[in-house]
Amino acid sequence: LAAGVWSRPASGGSRGPVGRQGPRREGSDSSDGAAQVALIAVMRPMLASLLFTVFVYLLAWIFLSRNTPKAAFLTALIIGLFFTFGHVHMALDKQFPGAALVQWLPALWGVLFLLSIFWVTRPRLTFASAASTLNAVAVVLILMAAWNIFSAIGPREVHALGIPAAPVQNDLAVPEDPPDVYYIILDSYARADLIRRAYGFDNTPFLSELEQRGFYVASCSQSNYVRTELSLGSSLNMQYLQDLSDTFTPESTARRLLWSALKHNAVRYNFESMGYETVTFETGFDWLNITDTDRYLSPPPASNGMTDFEALFLRTTLARYADDLGWVNPDELLGITTRARFNFVFDSVGEISSMPQPTFTYLHLVSPHPPFVFDAQGLPVDPADYWNDQGLYTSALYKKGYVDQMQYLNVVLLDTIDSILANSETPPVIILQGDHGPWLQPRNDRFSNLTAVYFPGRSDDLYPTLSPVNIFRMVFNKYFGGNYDILEDVSYFSPVPNLYDFSEVPYPCEPQ
């Protein structure tokens, strides 16, 4: 279940295939697939699969006059048909979009079902000798899946580095009144000039509100990389990936080391070494979740609808027709889950500023990135309203969803910042950063990200082209006696699946 899973498109085209008109809703783009899905996410599908299999077996056993070998063999055939249907449906729909082939699939599967019954009910066939072979195959498959899962979630030290070469400093000094530090990632949040040019929306009132509160907005900021895991792997380790490990070669497509470096990063290591309380939040993506911090906060399960994994699981089986017939709406449930996670984050973050010990809070919010679940006033919307009939984001639909969701996000952010500032005895450090720009833009524009930093009393040498790789170098230098060099601000593009095949892109922005 957990190998090779992908559900909804996520950050900046970085977690899903992109069609001619925009990212598809479902597909496959995963190496190290087990590391992308939390083990708990498969529990309900696994239990449902087990109960369904038992139910099918009991029906087959009764139908076949309690003939156990034949009932078991027929169950295997039926389960195989049930669980392969959605994969074939998706493959045909991807290979032949708009064709009528998928309409004939139910009839074909019905014929295969009847042929299965005809085969198993032949009087001369007992299937007794097939049991040992099939059981051996099943055991091997289970062991392979278990190895894939548990090798991806193996234990490691909490206070550790994903990459030993990460630039930590062990002589950082905690000031007398240490500030809380908030690193707030706003997934796909673009720079103001790109928002105006691409979407016709003026975002300067929001930026002016930030500046009135003391934020410095880098008017020519660019992300160092165009994909979430690359951007955050670099910014949280304060180093370009090319200089972190020689395994990040153009030929490599592996991500496990990158994800380990993201979770056990140099920034976190430095704060833990200074005795800071570390706080993280659930993101909805297991490879982004940093679960072994001092406080890992996630909404209660009862507040969620259907997980992304469960929605994909539904679509890859014959149960996808429960969606088509209107019995279950995974898209609506996805909206419920996403809104619950969004609201939980902002309901909780205000409490952190009241904690007595100094804290480092890393908050990755998958917004204004899709799925689009809020309108401009914060009212709930159906994520499916922004997909066309082929399940693609078109430019017009994406534009509307992005701008609406961003406007509501702006309002909530300002309220939250006001709450943090009001509750903090020592002025905090607050970093608002888009990990990259939005989808469906020309290659170079996909780097145009928001960077706004609140460095109370220490903002004198900030500059318009400040990029994520240097932000925490500045934080440690300004507040904790660090001696980090400020690196040249450079942006690198890389394609899928060769994530580390980097090519430099220019900084075309004119500082304002």
Side-chain angles (χ1 to χ4, degrees):
L1 293 178
V5 168
W6 181 90
S7 50
R8 287 290 187 269
S11 182
S14 65
R15 284 166 265 176
V18 178
R20 287 170 293 177
Q21 297 169 283
R24 283 185 178 269
R25 292 189 297 136
E26 53 189 24
S28 177
D29 175 26
S30 169
S31 59
D32 302 324
Q36 296 196 49
V37 181
L39 187 58
I40 193 172
V42 309
M43 299 311 293
R44 286 193 298 193
M46 190 179 297
L47 178 60
S49 299
L50 179 61
L51 294 176
F52 177 68
T53 302
V54 171
F55 176 72
V56 171
Y57 172 75
L58 290 175
L59 288 181
W61 185 66
I62 295 171
F63 172 71
L64 294 168
S65 302
R66 302 184 181 184
N67 186 315
T68 299
K70 285 195 172 190
F73 195 82
L74 180 59
T75 300
L77 294 176
I78 294 174
I79 294 299
L81 289 172
F82 182 85
F83 284 103
T84 57
F85 180 84
H87 292 281
V88 176
H89 190 290
M90 290 165 58
L92 289 175
D93 191 39
K94 182 179 180 181
Q95 189 68 29
F96 307 102
L101 289 174
V102 294
Q103 298 178 9
W104 293 97
L105 271 183
L108 175 59
W109 250 243
V111 171
L112 293 175
F113 173 71
L114 293 176
L115 289 175
S116 298
I117 294 178
F118 177 77
W119 183 18
V120 172
T121 54
R122 304 306 297 158
R124 294 182 180 179
L125 299 177
T126 65
F127 299 100
S129 61
S132 58
T133 301
L134 291 176
N135 286 339
V137 171
V139 169
V140 170
L141 291 175
I142 291 172
L143 291 175
M144 290 173 60
W147 171 258
N148 190 30
I149 293 171
F150 290 106
S151 64
I153 60 173
R156 64 175 299 126
E157 295 180 53
V158 172
H159 189 53
L161 286 172
I163 295 181
V168 299
Q169 290 187 1
N170 295 317
D171 57 349
L172 297 174
V174 182
E176 183 176 347
D177 294 314
D180 291 339
V181 179
Y182 297 85
Y183 189 35
I184 303 176
I185 294 296
L186 308 171
D187 211 305
S188 296
Y189 204 120
R191 212 170 57 201
D193 57 326
L194 176 61
I195 294 174
R196 183 185 302 108
R197 175 162 38 89
Y199 300 141
F201 181 80
D202 183 9
N203 201 37
T204 54
F206 169 66
L207 302 183
S208 296
E209 290 284 350
L210 290 177
E211 290 171 339
Q212 291 175 19
R213 288 162 172 78
F215 278 78
Y216 176 85
V217 179
S219 61
C220 282
S221 172
Q222 287 193 177
S223 63
N224 303 110
Y225 301 91
V226 77
R227 296 169 57 84
T228 294
E229 60 263 63
L230 300 175
S231 178
L232 293 177
S234 170
S235 60
L236 284 167
N237 285 289
M238 304 176 287
Q239 187 62 273
Y240 290 102
L241 296 177
Q242 301 92 311
D243 300 324
L244 273 177
S245 173
D246 56 11
T247 63
F248 297 141
T249 61
E251 300 78 21
S252 175
T253 60
R255 305 188 198 182
R256 195 162 296 181
L257 177 63
L258 177 61
W259 293 338
S260 178
L262 193 159
K263 295 185 178 187
H264 297 88
N265 56 75
V267 169
R268 173 188 173 184
Y269 189 95
N270 278 351
F271 279 114
E272 289 174 341
S273 298
M274 291 188 292
Y276 265 63
E277 188 95 349
T278 52
V279 183
T280 53
F281 288 82
E282 181 192 346
T283 66
F285 299 92
D286 190 56
W287 59 270
L288 271 176
N289 291 337
I290 304 179
T291 60
D292 54 0
T293 49
D294 295 314
R295 298 198 183 193
Y296 172 67
L297 305 177
S298 62
S303 68
N304 291 330
M306 180 180 290
T307 68
D308 289 352
F309 180 89
E310 290 166 342
L312 179 63
F313 180 76
L314 191 71
R315 284 195 168 91
T316 54
T317 70
L318 261 171
R320 67 179 295 120
Y321 286 111
D323 179 11
D324 296 339
L325 295 171
W327 299 344
V328 177
N329 188 340
D331 302 325
E332 182 181 339
L333 294 172
L334 171 66
I336 293 173
T337 301
T338 305
R339 283 188 292 272
R341 189 181 301 120
F342 180 99
N343 292 330
F344 174 80
V345 166
F346 286 110
D347 288 343
S348 304
V349 72
E351 301 174 6
I352 298 170
S353 55
S354 302
M355 293 169 58
Q357 64 272 47
T359 58
F360 168 60
T361 300
Y362 168 56
L363 193 166
H364 187 129
L365 195 69
V366 186
S367 182
H369 181 288
F372 302 123
V373 297
F374 292 108
D375 68 8
Q377 289 72 43
L379 297 175
V381 294
D382 189 342
D385 290 345
Y386 302 92
W387 302 319
N388 65 12
D389 292 339
Q390 287 73 48
L392 302 175
Y393 287 103
T394 65
S395 295
L397 291 172
Y398 187 92
K399 171 184 174 180
K400 176 173 174 50
Y402 183 94
V403 171
D404 284 354
Q405 188 149 282
M406 182 186 67
Q407 290 181 77
Y408 178 59
L409 174 62
N410 290 349
V411 173
V412 179
L413 278 172
L414 291 175
D415 287 344
T416 301
I417 289 169
D418 289 342
S419 175
I420 291 173
L421 295 177
N423 292 336
S424 301
E425 293 185 7
T426 300
V429 172
I430 305 174
I431 300 160
L432 301 181
Q433 178 194 311
D435 53 347
H436 48 70
W439 291 345
L440 306 182
Q441 296 302 313
R443 188 179 80 165
N444 292 357
D445 283 341
R446 289 166 60 191
F447 293 88
S448 298
N449 72 318
L450 169 72
T451 296
V453 294
Y454 182 76
F455 288 175
R458 313 286 176 93
S459 60
D460 51 303
D461 56 351
L462 297 174
Y463 55 96
T465 58
L466 176 63
S467 69
V469 73
N470 279 316
I471 289 177
F472 277 101
R473 287 175 174 262
M474 286 192 163
V475 170
F476 290 122
N477 288 352
K478 289 175 178 293
Y479 293 94
F480 303 99
N483 57 359
Y484 286 103
D485 294 328
I486 301 304
L487 306 177
E488 181 182 1
D489 296 295
V490 183
S491 296
Y492 295 98
F493 179 82
S494 58
V496 177
N498 299 100
L499 308 181
Y500 316 115
D501 186 9
F502 300 122
S503 57
E504 186 174 341
V505 300
Y507 256 70
C509 176
E510 291 292 335
Q512 299 176 2

